[in-house]
Amino acid sequence: MARPTRLTVADLLTWPQRRAAVSFECATSGVQHHRFTGPLLHDVLSAAKPGFDPARREDRLRFLVAVHGADGHHAVLSWAESDPDFGNAAVLLATTVDDTPLDGAGPQLVLPQDRCGARHISGIATIRVDGGYRVGA
C-alpha cells in the first residue's frame, strides 16, 4: 500500500455511508437480521493506494484482502469481489449495527451477499491488501 494508515470508526464516518439490511445464518444462533451502515471497503482501500500496476488492468485480480478481528477471527476475500469492474459487491466497513455506533467495539466487515455470516468480522484490528503471494509456491 502506498499510503498505509490507521482508521478509527470516527475516521470511517467521514466517508460516504451506505446502509444495508442483511440476513445471514449464524452457526450458533440461527438466522440473524441486522441493519449496517458504513463506507464501502473498496473506497477506503482504494484511497490507501494498493500497489497495482496501472498499465495492467488485470493486475488487480491477483490481490487478496485479509481482515483480522481483535478476537482472532479472520477472513480473506479477493480484491475483485468488491471492485466495481468485477464483482462489485457492496462490502462494508460498518460503523453502526442496528443504529448502534461501533465506536467502542471497532468497525465490522460486512458482506451482505454472503448467506453465512462467517466472514463478518467484528472489531477489525487490521486489514492487509497483498498481491505478492506466488501461486503454486
Side-chain angles (χ1 to χ4, degrees), residues 18-20 34-37 95-103:
R18 300 278 292 265
R19 292 185 62 80
H34 296 287
R35 293 177 321 279
F36 295 96
T37 304
T95 56
T96 70
V97 59
D98 299 327
D99 299 321
T100 301
L102 293 171
D103 298 331

Side-chain angles (χ1 to χ4, degrees), residues 5-97:
T5 188
R6 289 193 183 275
L7 296 173
T8 64
V9 169
D11 296 325
L12 293 172
L13 287 169
T14 67
W15 292 81
Q17 302 291 294
R18 300 278 292 265
R19 292 185 62 80
V22 178
S23 296
F24 58 87
E25 288 184 34
C26 178
T28 57
S29 55
V31 177
Q32 301 287 307
H33 305 280
H34 296 287
R35 293 177 321 279
F36 295 96
T37 304
L40 292 174
L41 173 71
H42 182 266
D43 292 347
V44 174
L45 294 183
S46 292
K49 306 284 187 208
F52 305 140
D53 179 348
R56 295 180 44 229
R57 182 177 182 188
E58 295 85 12
D59 192 45
R60 294 174 283 170
L61 299 178
R62 67 183 173 90
F63 281 75
L64 298 175
V65 179
V67 181
H68 297 270
D71 64 357
H73 192 146
H74 58 273
V76 176
L77 55 150
S78 73
W79 178 272
E81 284 182 73
S82 65
D83 190 308
D85 286 339
F86 300 101
N88 200 28
V91 179
L92 297 180
L93 290 174
T95 56
T96 70
V97 59

